Each structure stands twice: as C-alpha cells, then as structure tokens.
Amino acid sequence: MGKTITQKIFEAHLRDEPFEGTKVINLDAVFCHEITTPIAINDLISRNKDRVFDATKVKAVIDHVTPSKDTQSATQAKILRDWAHRNNIKDFFDIGANGVCHALFPEQGFVRPGYTVIMGDSHTCTHGAFGAFAAGVGSTDLEVGILKGVCAFREPKTIRIDIVGLMPQGVFAKDVILEIIRTLTVNGATDRVIEFHGAAVTAMTMEERMTLANMAIEAGGTSGVCMPDEVTVEYLWKFVKDEYQNNKVVALAAFKKWHSDPDAVYEKTIKIDISALEPLTTVGFKPDQVKKIKDCADVKVNQVYIGSCTNGRLSDLRIAAGVLKGKTIAFGVRGIVSPATPEIFKQANAEGLIQIFMDAGFCVTNPTCGACLGMSNGVLAEGEVCVSTTNRNFFGRMGKGGTVHLVSPASAAASALTGHLTDPRTYL
Amino acid sequence: MKSFGGPVLILDRSDINTDEIIPAKYLTEVSKEALKAHCLEDLRLDGFSNASAAFTSARVVITRENFGCGSSREHAPWALEVNGITVVIAESYARIFRQNMFNCGMLAIELPRETIDDIMGFCGAYANSTCSVDWNGQALTFTGNTKSLIIPFVLNQFDHALVVSGGWVEFADANY
Ligand code: SF4
C-alpha cells in the first residue's frame, strides 16, 4: 500500500509511539517569535532547564510587534533576544533584519522537503509549500520542542485536493485557497493534512504555493502540503547546491522521494475546478464565508492592508503596484502596505514599487505582522471596514468592532482605488 | 494534577475562536494572571455580556463545534484556567486548542451533538447545575435540584497520560 508524503515524513522522524495512534516525532526545525515564546522561555527558566536541544535548529524572530510599541512588547522582545543570545541561537532576527516569520524563514532557506517543523503560530502550515510537515502548536509544545526536539501528534489523515484547470486572468492563489476553504468549511480539515495537487499547483511559484498552504489552518488543517519539484529546487538552490554536488537532477530526485505514492490512501479526494473561478472576498466573520467580489461592490472601505504571511511577498507587491501605478487611492481610504521582509522591501524599492505605493497614497511600514492582528499598528476603530490580504476575518481581528474582508493583493489594490470592494479585472 | 468540576457555563455557539477567548491585544502579557480580566470579552454570543460575572462560579464550559479555532495562542486555555475553568466539553475542537488543553493537564472532552443538546437542556432547566468529573472512570455527572444526568466519555490513552502527568512538559521530561 502506498504512502502519503506525511506518512513518509512521520516514518522517517518517528521517535516513539507511546500509545497507539500517538506519534512522537523528531524535529528538524523549531521556529520562535516574540508573542508565544517568552512564556515558554520563562517556564524553562523556572524549571531550571534554560537550554535548547540544538542551537542550529532553533530559529527566532521578533515580528509581531516591531519596533516595540510599549513597555510590555519591549519586555517580550527582550526576553526572546536575551534567550537567543544566551543560548547561542545564530539565526535570530531583530530590528533591521526582521520580518514576518513565515516569509522570512523560507527566504532564508530554513525549510526543506521532508522536514518536520513546529512553531508557536497557527500559520506554520505555510512551510508545507516546500513538501515539509509544518504545524502550528501552542507554547507548551513549543517549550518541549525547544528543550527536547520532539513533538507529539496523532498521525494526521490526509485530504487530497485535486485542482482542475488553470487560474483565469484576475484570479490568484489567494482566490483559489478561499474557494478551497469555502468548500471544506472552517473545520472540514481538522486533524487532517491538506495535499494540493493539479496542474495549477505545478504552475505556481513558491510564493503562490506558500499563499495556498498558509491558509490550510483556516479549514482546520494541521498542515497544507505541495509536492516538491523543479520549482522547489530552484527556490532553494542557493542553499542546497553544495549538499547535492551542484547537480539539480540529484536534488530533484532527492526531493521527489518524498512525493505521495500514486496508490497512497487518502481519507477523501476533492476535485475543485478553478477554470471559471472569479475573484473572491470573504464576508462575515469566518474564512469559509466567501462570495464573488463583484457581488459585494456595495461594501464601503475605510482601510486597505497589503501585507502578512499570506500575501506580503514580492510577487504580491508587484501585482498590487501594477494595479495602483499612476493612480491615487479613493478619498477617505487609508492604504497601508507592509513588505513582509527586509529583502522584499529592498527589492520592491529597487523595482520602483515603493514609489508607486507612496504616489498612490499608501503608507509603507517596516516589515512586520502589523495590522494583521490588530495589536500594533493599523488598528481599526469600531464599525470600520478593512479590505486585507491577510488570512483571518474574525470579528475584531484587526481592532475591536472592526470588520475584515480577505482578498487577493489585486483586489485589495482595486478596492483602494474605488473605496469599495472591487473586482480587480478591469485594472489588470 | 488539577482539580476538575463545578458549576457550568454554557456557550451555545460553534466556532468560538481564540481571539474571542482572549483578544490579541493582551498577548503582550507575560503573566497568565494578567489575562484573567479579559477572557471572553470579545465573545459574540446573544445574551452574553458580562464575562467576569459568568466566571465568578463557573468551573466547566459547555459549548458546540470547533471550539478554540484560529490562532494557536495557548493564552486561550491559560485565560480559562486563571478564571477557574479546567474542563471544556464540546462537540469538537480545533486541533491546536485541544492539544494545548491536555498539554496543560486540563480536560477537553468531546461528545456528540445530541449529548451536548441533552446536557444544555438539563443545565438550562436547572439553574445552578454543576458537573462533577470522574476523569479516571470517564464519566460526567450533572446535578441540578435533586435530578442528575450521567454521561460517559472517552479519553484516549495519551490524553489520559498527560492529565496524570500534569502536562506535556512533565510527560516529555520523564520520557525523552
Ligand atoms: S502576518 Fe498575521 S497571520 Fe501571519 S504570522 Fe503575522 S500575525 Fe500571524
């Protein structure tokens, strides 16, 4: 009987099966940020166990609230910073080098096919785009991961999504994943890994695959995963070429051994035809409440946010800037863009994208999670509406009493120009 | 080991997310006690306005599907715990929240919809219902007036071991 990629990864990393159905796996990477790690650090200190299992496998970043906004966030940052220095964690990213974790860590080449990764952050599923098993966990799992390099899971079953057709013009990876979440519902993939297959996925860049995998958790998924291929090899090449004797064929063969077997067993397989998909938006306060954006043109917009681990990468900024070029955003709309990492910021600047955003009337912030979770900048007032390229539209997510509509970067930019939810196709 | 059981708090809605259990703006706190006053303050539930009043006596939360979805923040179980809640009973959970509860040595008990209907019906009929938890024998006993309702439940072995150990740090430390 064939195996899924997740079964292969679990087998290769199995440390213990203390009870039937409970798998304790060895970890290749433990990622940390300043919101969920400090309590784990303090707990380790109080237990007299202030150590890390392997300083080369633990990576840390200050990204959610940076630069610090008050004494409390400064204290959190300091706890993480001091801990990283004390424990000799070389891959620690502070002001000037920091950016949104799920954009920064892949950019640094920290995730490889077949890896096991945890982080105290639900969108850790993003890294499954590389053919890894990457799962969000709480602070206690994180603490044990830091100390012992292991984590326990019930071996997840897999839902296979076969995406049929190619993305029509004006439709992006964000629209595809919103359609998938609409189909699965917010808990349709709980305790499941979501495997993404189909010609549309094969044709996607790593950035697009990360957008797809990023929102697996919004359907309850433990991880989202794409099969590693030539695109993965290209993206990781500068980091892996020595390991594979400078031979891409060797690297590709090594990556492909993780692929799910043709006769792998899935809990279910769902076909999703995107050949006639139209640009989408969420409505309401759950990410599976999704409509065609053209049917929501009466929704007025106070703020437009372009950024986050879902859609704050260079290709996203290019698309949004393409819509905004030579235009200005509607009167009364506040536009905010947060390039997700310093590299992305620099590149966007070199390509003239930052200029386009500023000429259009956008505020450009430093790389940070920022407005995405309403705890540092860009907070909404009660009753306000934000059209956002992020991943969560929970009531109050971006500020108490505020409403969020999740869209692609193209749709966000188009909505900024008109001041209401807008189908981007006439602007592309 | 924690103590389990006591008066119940009914939250009759599905998909209550961790932002509702504890809003992101309080995540800069590095002490669990500081979360106490803010638990459920953004909950969207008709007729529910005063979280701190609800928590003065409650020890057990009864709710619907997909409880604890969204952000992985363990601040959600901590915010419940500092308010005295160490047991949640629901139709289903988001994976991370459920694991976080057991990792902290707390109980996240899963029961079918009809059973949750029965429990909510019972607790609705008898104000001041309480729930006692025999987690070893795996049965819940709800008591109101002179009536009672006994509901069996199942804990898998790993979850049971986590409760006995007091949580995942203790279990992992002893075994790995
Ligand atoms: S950008 Fe938003 S969703 Fe992504 S890690 Fe930051 S806060 Fe979480």
Side-chain angles (χ1 to χ4, degrees), chain B residues 148-168:
Chain B
S148 65
L149 175 70
I150 297 174
I151 307 280
F153 66 94
V154 182
L155 281 188
N156 76 41
Q157 287 174 295
F158 182 49
D159 296 340
H160 189 269
L162 291 178
V163 175
V164 174
S165 317
W168 172 229

Side-chain angles (χ1 to χ4, degrees), chain A residues 237 303 373:
Chain A
W237 191 237
Q303 179 170 301
L373 81 168

Side-chain angles (χ1 to χ4, degrees), chain A residues 63-64 100-102 121 123 214 308-309 369 372-373 391 397:
Chain A
D63 63 350
H64 278 57
V100 178
C101 50
H102 309 306
D121 192 283
H123 293 103
N214 174 270
S308 87
C309 57
C369 293
C372 174
L373 81 168
N391 47 40
R397 166 82 180 180

